Amino acid sequence: MENVLTVPAERLHRQLTTVFTTWGMDPGHADTAATIMVDTDLSGVDSHGVGMLPFYQIAVREGRLDPRASPTIGNDRGPAALIDAHHCIGHVAAHLANTTAIAKAKEHGIGVTAVTNSTHYGAAGWYARQAAEHGLIGISLTNSPPLLVPVRGKDPALGTNPIAFSAPTRDKARPVLLDMATTAVAYGKVSIARRAGKPIPEGWALTPEGTPETDSAAAAIARRLSPLGGTRKLGGHKGYGLALMVEILCATLTGARMAENETGHFFLAIDPAAFRTAEAFEEDLEELTARMRGIAPIDPAQPVLIPGDPEHDETVRRREGGIPMVPTLVEEVRGVCLESGAEFILDLKRDMR
Amino acid sequence: MENVLTVPAERLHRQLTTVFTTWGMDPGHADTAATIMVDTDLSGVDSHGVGMLPFYQIAVREGRLDPRASPTIGNDRGPAALIDAHHCIGHVAAHLANTTAIAKAKEHGIGVTAVTNSTHYGAAGWYARQAAEHGLIGISLTNSPPLLVPVRGKDPALGTNPIAFSAPTRDKARPVLLDMATTAVAYGKVSIARRAGKPIPEGWALTPEGTPETDSAAAAIARRLSPLGGTRKLGGHKGYGLALMVEILCATLTGARMAENETGHFFLAIDPAAFRTAEAFEEDLEELTARMRGIAPIDPAQPVLIPGDPEHDETVRRREGGIPMVPTLVEEVRGVCLESGAEFILDLKRDMR
């Protein structure tokens, strides 16, 4: 672990905004995207934070991501609105859409916004959590490039199409926060097993013939993930169905065509106070989560968790101790800086000169 | 199969309304509940149609279901409303809530309603599908009595808490229709295996010690279902998270307390025309479903399906050929008639006198 660089959140934020503004991004947009990515790294979701930067640079280079673009609000009707991202970085379009949904929920009790012509927006959970921080229930969905193989099929046809849900609790720093791929696992878990040279469990991935793949190296090349539930017998048709639901709400509703490299997002915010008092909601949620935590555990050392617990705990740890970055990732960020002409500032020694 | 009674939908509907009005239910309410139950039997979801009638009678006898009650719209604010079921039959409260959400979606682009103090509402998918028949995207959720064991725990703490989603297609009779328990399987599948004397796959149910249970008889007694995904390794925490989401939207949002035998429901309707034209939505959905159906299948005789396909096909068959009812169920309905004093009319021979 000695080669792992531990980077304070503030420095990572500065590194990201430096790159983004060098790309020509508006400083406000750069700050938004960097904040979302750093929060994601803080929460331990390493696959969706700075780790995505090299892929964003490829998208910029290939013209799929326009760092100078700004999202616009199009069709706006009471509690609903459609946002056009104009291929800006997904985080900025998603942030506009989510804050719009939040404002609409405060006015109408519910707000729904969807985004077309977008790109990768980072971790779905960030936006759901933002709604919870405003005292609202939040839902955040996005589609993504094909990896999920529908039940009975041999080829991938839908993305890992995540579902994120958050609900506000009395402790504002610890909302209920579910953020899940609709595949059994995200592709990152296959990559991790491949790097470790370990097999993967039956139920994660498939061969090109549609049989279970347990060789992580072969699975990483085949890029065919099983839907949540795995086989038909264990509920794989449900994971496929959920991924299709996400595709309809993110792509069909908005006109974003994944086949043409267009990503769509969907955001919903609900004000509990539209139904009964916010206090009654929080009191009952407190009771519900306490009931879950109180279930007799199989292993007393492993109590039942509430979705979001591991991410909240990791955020506390990393805010204190910094964000660990493996050497490969540090070198990838250095490469991004070299290509774009941005200053590389992740390395601690440079700070101390 | 010779003992299986095949009942035309119209006769089953008449049988149900006869029982319901004998219970003292308003004739309009009786028609609503019977229609939803018969549609469910037509679609092949036998566990949630007339098969529930004996349980409803127990609930009436125990005072948990009040057949004379009518639901009322409480907190009503723009696109959102809370409905109080006053412990009427769940279908009637859910129908009022869903038609209210549909009307609100047509006015505001989105409508959201939730129901408190309710009872079993039948199949979640019926309501989502109703929204699709109005050209809207529909979501329907309900909580239910504890059966799902959260990951790491030993005891059930949430229901099978289903998620139903529907989207309108050009062929109005065949909307996309997902209706899934957030457990790996519904309890009914364990019962079917028990009756057949067959083992169940690892991943469906748990022993009271939290280990996988494959003995269907023991599983039927233990009443501990695994969340969708099964083990933590295969994504069981996601099924648990989805069930918790449903509980929050159905119970915490509405104040329905499952611990006190109160059920809550949640309905969402979205008008695609609030985002872009209904035609553009339908065209893209046509393209999406055709893309799924066109995926190379593992077995050419088993093409990739769209959620809802089996139910649509079964509805066509049963509208033509009638609804099969096993002798046990026919006798249970006869018992309900005897207890309530309603005429028993399922038996064909009685019709022919």
Side-chain angles (χ1 to χ4, degrees), chain A residues 75-82 105-114 137 139 146 149-158 163-165 167 176 178-186 189 201-204 209-211 228-230 232-242 244-249 251-259 266 268 270-276 280-289 291-293 295-299 301-307, chain B residues 75-82 105-114 137 139 146 149-158 163-165 167 176 178-186 189 201-204 209-211 228-230 232-242 244-249 251-259 266 268 270-276 280-289 291-293 295-299 301-307:
Chain A
N75 219 342
D76 192 344
R77 172 184 162 189
L82 180 69
K106 290 198 170 171
E107 184 181 348
H108 301 286
I110 189 165
V112 59
T113 56
I137 290 170
I139 288 176
V149 180
V151 171
R152 294 179 163 198
K154 292 199 288 189
D155 294 323
L158 293 168
I163 297 175
F165 169 87
V176 174
L178 174 70
D179 184 355
M180 52 168 270
T182 50
T183 42
V185 294
K189 290 217 175 179
E202 206 173 300
W204 283 18
E209 289 72 44
T211 53
L228 172 61
R232 172 69 178 78
K233 196 166 65 177
L234 292 178
H237 57 298
K238 299 181 181 185
Y240 160 48
L242 289 172
L244 189 65
M245 172 182 84
V246 171
E247 191 73 19
I248 290 171
L249 291 171
T252 316
L253 191 65
T254 68
R257 289 166 182 266
M258 183 45 71
F266 177 90
L268 191 71
I270 299 173
D271 187 355
F275 296 89
R276 52 198 199 111
F281 176 86
E282 284 191 0
E283 189 173 321
D284 281 8
L285 188 52
E286 204 71 22
E287 187 275 327
L288 176 64
T289 54
R291 185 147 39 93
M292 296 301 121
R293 293 190 199 284
I295 298 165
I298 297 171
D299 172 0
Q302 302 258 307
V304 172
L305 299 178
I306 295 298
Chain B
N75 219 343
D76 192 345
R77 174 184 160 188
L82 180 67
K106 290 198 170 170
E107 184 182 349
H108 302 287
I110 188 165
V112 58
T113 56
I137 292 170
I139 288 176
V149 181
V151 172
R152 295 179 164 197
K154 291 199 287 189
D155 295 324
L158 294 168
I163 296 174
F165 169 86
V176 174
L178 174 71
D179 184 357
M180 53 168 267
T182 49
T183 43
V185 293
K189 291 218 174 179
E202 208 172 300
W204 283 19
E209 289 72 43
T211 54
L228 172 62
R232 171 69 177 81
K233 196 166 64 180
L234 292 177
H237 56 298
K238 299 182 182 182
Y240 160 47
L242 289 172
L244 188 66
M245 173 183 82
V246 172
E247 190 74 19
I248 291 170
L249 291 171
T252 316
L253 192 65
T254 68
R257 285 165 185 267
M258 184 44 70
F266 177 90
L268 191 70
I270 299 173
D271 187 356
F275 296 89
R276 51 199 200 110
F281 176 85
E282 284 190 0
E283 188 172 321
D284 280 9
L285 188 51
E286 205 70 21
E287 187 274 327
L288 177 62
T289 56
R291 185 146 40 95
M292 296 300 122
R293 293 190 199 282
I295 297 164
I298 297 172
D299 172 0
Q302 303 257 304
V304 171
L305 300 178
I306 295 299

Side-chain angles (χ1 to χ4, degrees), chain B residues 51-91:
Chain B
M52 286 303 296
L53 185 66
F55 298 96
Y56 298 157
Q57 177 145 54
I58 294 169
V60 169
R61 195 191 304 146
E62 295 179 351
R64 288 181 281 115
L65 193 166
D66 178 3
R68 295 174 192 274
S70 284
T72 53
I73 300 180
N75 219 343
D76 192 345
R77 174 184 160 188
L82 180 67
I83 278 88
D84 191 329
H86 302 291
H87 302 98
C88 73
I89 194 164
H91 310 67

Side-chain angles (χ1 to χ4, degrees), chain A residues 125 128-133 136-139 164-168 175-178:
Chain A
R129 189 192 160 112
Q130 188 191 19
E133 283 168 357
L136 307 174
I137 290 170
I139 288 176
F165 169 87
S166 192
V176 174
L177 176 57
L178 174 70

